[in-house]
Amino acid sequence: MALDLSTVGYQIQSLRKTKGYTQNQLGDLVGVSFQAVSKWERGETLPDIGTFMTLAEVLDTTIDHLLHGGKKITEYKGRKTMEEIKKGINCLIDMGNLLGRENLLYRSAIAGIDEKMNMEIEEYLRQPYTYEAMVAEAAIQCMLSGYYIDLKDIEKSFISEHWKKLVSEYAEKAQN
């Protein structure tokens, strides 16, 4: 699917007006000139990726939503429960326990996750707060892929209010 700059521009303009911002105000909020905002809205240019992230946050939307002119691009794939997501995360822990932490297959899986996610997954999975961070990340990735997760399920599945709030906010946006 080709990117249509005028559609992206119209979406930025529409959301800006909905929020009641002038081009100057939006520019100030995202750190660019009103002229840059004007060029985006006319479909002449796009924000750089760092600015896109800030723009989406200020306009209370997602980058995908902006890039696709407000159209949902994710196809609904079904429901996921938080229990299924936790079970998936726990499979990695079980793999280390069942095969041994020095097993080549386990070490390769860990090295791949560490490299792709720029982290030390084994350490994250040992601590309750960072374990919940992994569950939150997995839940958000499921929603990005088109799965629905019930808000009530999210509410009861986290100890940390931070992760509960983050995943719930994302689910609310994904469901709209």
Side-chain angles (χ1 to χ4, degrees):
M1 177 176 167
L3 190 61
D4 181 355
L5 296 183
S6 63
T7 302
V8 175
Y10 180 79
Q11 184 65 12
I12 292 170
Q13 181 183 57
S14 176
L15 291 169
R16 173 183 61 79
K17 287 181 176 180
T18 299
K19 289 285 190 181
Y21 298 138
T22 65
Q23 288 180 340
N24 202 26
Q25 288 169 323
L26 181 59
D28 287 345
L29 289 168
V30 298
V32 299
S33 68
F34 77 89
Q35 293 97 333
V37 174
S38 178
K39 284 182 178 183
W40 302 338
E41 290 182 358
R42 289 192 314 266
E44 294 176 13
T45 62
L46 288 175
D48 65 42
I49 190 64
T51 304
F52 242 129
M53 292 169 63
T54 304
L55 181 64
E57 186 176 315
V58 167
L59 294 176
D60 198 28
T61 191
T62 65
I63 293 173
D64 276 350
H65 195 255
L66 289 171
L67 287 174
H68 294 91
K71 296 176 188 167
K72 282 203 172 197
I73 59 158
T74 313
E75 193 174 308
Y76 175 72
K77 292 184 179 171
R79 296 175 76 95
K80 286 277 182 210
T81 66
M82 291 303 298
E83 192 59 40
E84 289 171 323
I85 292 167
K86 287 180 181 179
K87 188 175 181 180
I89 297 289
N90 290 337
C91 282
L92 189 58
I93 296 168
D94 291 345
M95 185 181 186
N97 292 336
L98 294 169
L99 298 178
R101 301 221 184 289
E102 299 309 315
N103 181 284
L104 181 60
L105 185 61
Y106 175 74
R107 293 282 9 120
S108 297
I110 294 300
I113 293 169
D114 287 350
E115 181 181 331
K116 288 283 186 189
M117 295 183 74
N118 195 26
M119 64 179 352
E120 293 184 25
I121 187 73
E122 287 178 304
E123 185 59 36
Y124 271 68
L125 295 175
R126 280 199 247 342
Q127 306 298 323
Y129 182 78
T130 52
Y131 170 84
E132 281 200 338
M134 293 295 89
V135 172
E137 176 68 22
I140 290 170
Q141 290 300 320
C142 284
M143 288 184 278
L144 282 170
S145 297
Y147 289 97
Y148 169 84
I149 303 173
D150 187 84
L151 282 168
K152 290 178 185 172
D153 192 17
I154 293 167
E155 287 288 321
K156 68 180 184 176
S157 296
F158 288 95
I159 296 167
S160 164
E161 288 299 318
H162 173 75
W163 299 123
K164 184 186 304 183
K165 181 177 185 256
L166 182 79
V167 176
S168 294
E169 286 174 356
Y170 191 86
E172 287 171 356
K173 284 182 186 178
Q175 293 168 18
N176 291 329

